[in-house]
Amino acid sequence: MKNIREKILAFMRDSSYAPMTSEELLDALAGECSATKFWQELLALEQNGEIIKTRFETYGLPEKMGLVAGRFQLTSKGFGFVIPDNKGERPDVFIPPRALNGAMNNDRVLARVNNDTHGKKPEGEILRIITHANNKVVGIFHQTGDFAFVTPDDKRIGQDVYVMRRDFNNAKDGQKVVVEITEWPQEHRKAEGKVTEVLGNIGDVGLEILSIIKQNDLPLEFPEEVLAASRKVPKTIKKTELAGRRDLRERTVVTVDGEDAKDLDDAVYVQQISADEYLLGVYIADVSYYVTEDSILDKEARERGTSVYLVDRVLPMLPERLSNGICSLNAGEDRLSMACEMHIDTKGTVLNYEIFPAVINVRHRLSYNIVRAMLAGDEDLCTKYADILPMVGKMDELRQILHDKRARRGAVDFDLPEQKVILDEKLHPIEIVQRVHGNAESIIEEFMLAANETVAQHMFNQHWPFIYRVHEIPAEEKMQDLAKLLANFNIKFKVSEETQPKEIQQAVRAVAGRPEERLITTVALRSMKQAVYQTENVGHFGLAAKYYTHFTSPIRRYPDLIVHRLLRQWLQAPKLKASEVEPLSDKLEIIADHSSIRERAAADAERATVELKKCEYMADHIGEEYDGVISGVTAFGMFVELENGVEGLVHISSLMDDYYEFYEERYALVGTHTGHQYRLGDKVRIEVLQVNISDVSIDFIMAGENDGVREHIKQQLVAKQKPSKGYSSQRAALSADTKKKKNASAKGGKGAKNKEPGRRSGGRGKSKSARKGKKKR
């Protein structure tokens, strides 16, 4: 049953529709709704940019008027892209600096599309800002007499914020502050604001991480009323709470998590029923039983959206009383859970399943290290956990079965290294270690994927409004870029509007073990879109799954909590009333959008704190040499990733052996005279030249330079001031989730040779004077 908003949009999308006045629309939809409801929804659609009111007082759809509504993503270079609302139906729209019209990063905007693009990406200009995203900004306070400017830490915000003296709030020049926007920027006027919080002085211990937390609008503490509500939640379960639950306390259920995990969401059980069939039980903490709809705890969790795991702390979605207490599946304690039990054959097919509330008592709290050692035959651990040793072996068998099933259908697995920064008691980084991802981790990963798919397919078949975890098909132009790259290595890759994940999987496999493997894998990953939450099921491309959701982590992800709540409602009343569909759908859509936004903020903050600590770590290693791999190539240089995961910039002006030009399509810098090239994925040896912690930037040079060259390069970098006041945001633009916003249309077409003005470098090896560090002109 469609609501009135959907009816208005459906009517306008009809091919025969011509712009109508509001009165004509109301007449056309007579009998569909009350006049009051119609006017409310029409106004809401107009304010949200979903429909447009013309100067002739008629209404139409943006896409039929050469307009597009969507989220604006601004780069550190001053241009940006509008990511359309209508999920993949339109390409991103490039917005040059002259056409921003005051828009800031992440604003929701309405843009006019310029169709005269000559085969390049569509270009446009922002006409209206629908909703502002940056009501608070973190940055450095610069006072000049009776006024001041705050320079944002986030270079993507793109402009300073003007502050009048009366709004200084005791801030001093050079301090880090939070400023609240009071007047939004216009075409020829900066944003205005007032200082709401002084975070500290540059150099204060912990200031940079505090700034990241504030910059991403993450809450540090729970309000007292939320903590008070959490204290009312009992520490143990009562016998009366077991009514209607299946008692599985005698079953040998185990949890498997990291060594330091405290919020244990999931427990598992495996039994081989016959030669051809396994029983997989996935038991998830029944958080929705304790966090009821629209309660104080629920509202706080909804606003937070997710727990945030920073390098030095955790900002939990739920208070510790729940997250580490009654909701955590702690060993030896009775716990309420939502169970998903699946019967799976040796091909990985789910033969049948049950979803039901249960009570469990975890037999053992295992870690990945323990399971890994048991699978390797560690005698002491095998003896200690003898009661579950056979089950652990069956868990590994079922893991392989489920993994093989996903591989057959085309799931794309990028086995990229992940790092953990080890801190001392003063929060100073002392080591960077690679996170292990072996069979032990894969066991839980495969079991959770199976449960998530089963729950998603179940609710889809029930025709209930639901929140899915979706991953859309990559943009066709991204696939064409990948195909051109693969052709350089004689690998055929078919591009179509319906690219299949198996095709990408096969392309990645074709280069496994070859020198170009890193290059292909990196480009393929960057071609992917971001996974998001939404109410429309379009499947998960990367997993090659028709149905997918997040069910397995309700302690730390709000969408999972909502999925549990929907399952509880379904168990109580499988048939949803027609009158309940519309309001539930609307509510879920809002929750899904908000959860996606909070997820991105959490990911940005987590990544930023890790990068900060990596930078601090490398500050103790200036002058040392390392082997690395080129992880990004731009017109101003190349990013090199070391074996410990640290990434730094080799500026193009520091390449002293030739004049280098950037070839975008080849992902390479190529020497004009020698033809020597630095290409994405190539191995290089570098020296750490300098570190700027406040900018979170690391500069490398090629190893083997003499002191004269080294000092000369430092002077060059200072003189150039680099492409921005730090390049962390530029590097982010090349990362997996944002590289799709490249400035191809700003550079005059794909495949063009792109030179950065004034950046030509001299040639080492051209003459004796050059070898002594003098730059050749």
Side-chain angles (χ1 to χ4, degrees), residues 353-413:
Y353 65 89
E354 280 188 281
I355 299 171
F356 56 90
V359 56
I360 63 172
N361 190 300
V362 172
R363 187 70 56 88
H364 294 293
R365 193 275 199 225
L366 304 178
S367 69
Y368 294 123
N369 289 338
I370 290 172
V371 172
R372 188 178 299 109
M374 290 176 68
L375 292 174
D378 184 288
E379 291 185 10
D380 291 340
L381 290 175
C382 288
T383 300
K384 180 178 179 179
Y385 297 105
D387 60 325
I388 59 167
L389 181 59
M391 184 177 77
V392 170
K394 296 301 177 186
M395 288 165 62
D396 195 39
E397 286 180 17
L398 185 55
R399 171 204 63 79
Q400 189 65 54
I401 288 170
L402 292 171
H403 181 270
D404 290 346
K405 171 197 172 184
R406 289 199 305 111
R408 284 194 304 272
R409 74 186 186 192
V412 186
D413 287 327

Side-chain angles (χ1 to χ4, degrees), residues 279-297:
L279 169 65
L280 169 60
V282 175
Y283 309 99
I284 308 300
D286 195 355
V287 180
S288 68
Y289 177 82
Y290 298 102
V291 182
T292 56
E293 187 172 11
D294 290 332
S295 64
I296 292 175
L297 289 169

Side-chain angles (χ1 to χ4, degrees), residues 9 22 55 89 104 110 151 153 158 195 278 306 323 340 345 351 354 390 402 424 485-486 527 538 634 645 674 687:
L9 291 173
S22 53
R55 58 182 175 176
E89 295 177 15
M104 301 169 75
L110 184 69
T151 304
D153 286 354
V195 175
Y278 294 82
T306 181
S323 61
C340 177
D345 67 16
L351 303 172
E354 280 188 281
L402 292 171
D424 63 18
L485 178 64
L486 288 167
S527 300
V538 298
T634 73
T674 64
E687 176 189 325

Side-chain angles (χ1 to χ4, degrees), residues 173-271:
D173 187 58
Q175 288 185 317
K176 187 70 71 73
V177 302
V178 179
V179 61
E180 181 180 337
I181 305 294
T182 55
E183 292 287 339
W184 296 103
Q186 295 181 6
E187 187 175 359
H188 299 295
R189 193 184 72 185
K190 289 184 179 293
E192 296 181 16
K194 60 181 179 181
V195 175
T196 59
E197 190 175 357
V198 177
L199 300 180
N201 297 305
I202 301 301
D204 288 352
V205 176
L207 175 63
E208 295 305 326
I209 285 187
L210 178 61
S211 298
I212 291 169
I213 291 171
K214 294 291 184 178
Q215 182 177 310
N216 289 280
D217 197 23
L218 302 176
L220 274 169
E221 306 291 343
F222 285 100
E224 179 52 40
E225 60 268 25
V226 174
L227 293 174
S230 74
R231 289 192 286 268
K232 294 178 182 178
V233 177
K235 292 185 177 181
T236 58
I237 63 176
K238 302 174 183 177
K239 288 185 178 180
T240 56
E241 295 175 309
L242 305 185
R245 292 181 179 273
R246 197 172 302 180
D247 192 339
L248 301 178
R249 286 177 287 185
E250 295 304 313
R251 185 167 284 177
T252 52
V253 172
V254 300
T255 61
V256 185
D257 287 275
E259 299 281 357
D260 54 355
K262 296 178 181 178
D263 49 348
L264 310 181
D265 288 289
D266 55 270
V268 297
Y269 170 80
V270 171
Q271 177 186 351

Side-chain angles (χ1 to χ4, degrees), residues 688-709:
V688 182
L689 178 68
Q690 59 187 17
V691 174
N692 187 325
I693 293 174
S694 63
D695 254 3
V696 195
S697 64
I698 303 171
D699 286 301
F700 296 154
I701 56 174
M702 303 309 292
E705 301 287 7
N706 61 40
D707 290 340
V709 171

Side-chain angles (χ1 to χ4, degrees), residues 675-695:
H676 177 253
Q677 62 179 342
Y678 292 103
R679 191 174 59 174
L680 190 69
D682 284 352
K683 294 180 179 180
V684 293
R685 187 164 181 82
I686 58 85
E687 176 189 325
V688 182
L689 178 68
Q690 59 187 17
V691 174
N692 187 325
I693 293 174
S694 63
D695 254 3

